């Protein structure tokens, strides 16, 4: 992977986002050891301290764990179906389905006269994280202001 670490964001944030996307796409499957801090620092032309901060951010999201000998392992991710229903008496929502979030697949949109329901599969370490990811996707897809109600449900994918 070439170095794409430029721009106004902190380098650790950029590295964490690159690694997060790779993990959620399945480039690094659960249980796999990530490249060492030294290897990643050389790959992205940043310091090992920057990589350490990126690993800390991924650990906070529970996407990685530190194993024996300070190896960083990809955590197990489960698949959850997140269903979100937004209700508003006077508004039709745009039914966009273009999602670039690597953790989300299988987005389905159903719309009636006064509500829209989004259903999607989300890969995440736990149901709460999958709900947060799902709601973040919906915020991107529909600027849903002045809602009458919003309902969210999360269930494991069978």
């Amino acid at each position: 992977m070439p170095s794409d670490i430029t721009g106004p964001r902190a380098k650790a944030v950029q590295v964490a986002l690159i690694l997060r996307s790779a993990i959620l796409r399945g480039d690094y499957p659960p249980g796999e050891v990530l490249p060492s801090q030294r290897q990643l620092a050389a790959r992205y032309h940043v310091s090992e301290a920057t990589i350490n901060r990126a690993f800390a951010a991924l650990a906070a999201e529970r996407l990685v764990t530190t194993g024996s000998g300070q190896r960083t392992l990809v955590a197990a991710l489960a698949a959850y179906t997140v269903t979100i229903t937004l209700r508003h008496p006077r508004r039709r929502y745009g039914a966009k389905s273009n999602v670039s979030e690597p953790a989300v697949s299988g987005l389905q949109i159903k719309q009636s006269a006064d509500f829209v329901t989004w259903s999607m599969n989300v890969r995440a370490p736990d149901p709460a994280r999958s709900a947060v990811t799902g709601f973040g996707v919906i915020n991107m897809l529909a600027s849903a202001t002045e809602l009458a109600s919003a309902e969210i449900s999360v269930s494991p994918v069978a």
Side-chain angles (χ1 to χ4, degrees), residues 79-83 106 118-122 130 152-158:
Y80 299 93
T81 298
V82 178
T83 303
W118 284 272
S119 179
M120 67 197 82
N121 294 326
V122 177
S130 68
I152 187 165
S153 66
V154 178
S155 58
V157 171

Side-chain angles (χ1 to χ4, degrees), residues 6 39 81 111 121 126 150 153:
T6 60
Q39 291 169 322
T81 298
Q111 190 161 337
N121 294 326
D126 57 60
S153 66

Side-chain angles (χ1 to χ4, degrees), residues 19-107:
L19 292 174
R20 178 183 184 272
S21 291
I23 290 167
L24 293 174
R25 272 194 317 269
D27 296 349
Y28 297 111
E32 184 168 319
V33 177
L34 288 178
S36 71
Q37 289 185 16
R38 182 172 298 176
Q39 291 169 322
L40 290 172
R43 179 183 298 171
Y44 295 115
H45 307 290
V46 298
S47 70
E48 287 184 43
T50 297
I51 300 300
N52 189 38
R53 287 191 302 276
F55 280 177
L58 295 172
E61 287 189 64
R62 298 191 344 218
L63 292 173
V64 299
T65 60
T66 302
S68 61
Q70 298 301 322
R71 298 179 309 159
T72 302
L73 305 168
V74 176
L77 299 177
Y80 299 93
T81 298
V82 178
T83 303
I84 300 172
T85 301
L86 303 175
R87 297 180 187 274
H88 191 285
R90 299 178 311 273
R91 182 167 183 185
R92 296 282 290 176
Y93 295 91
K96 301 176 188 175
S97 61
N98 186 13
V99 177
S100 62
E101 170 62 49
V104 173
S105 64
L107 180 66

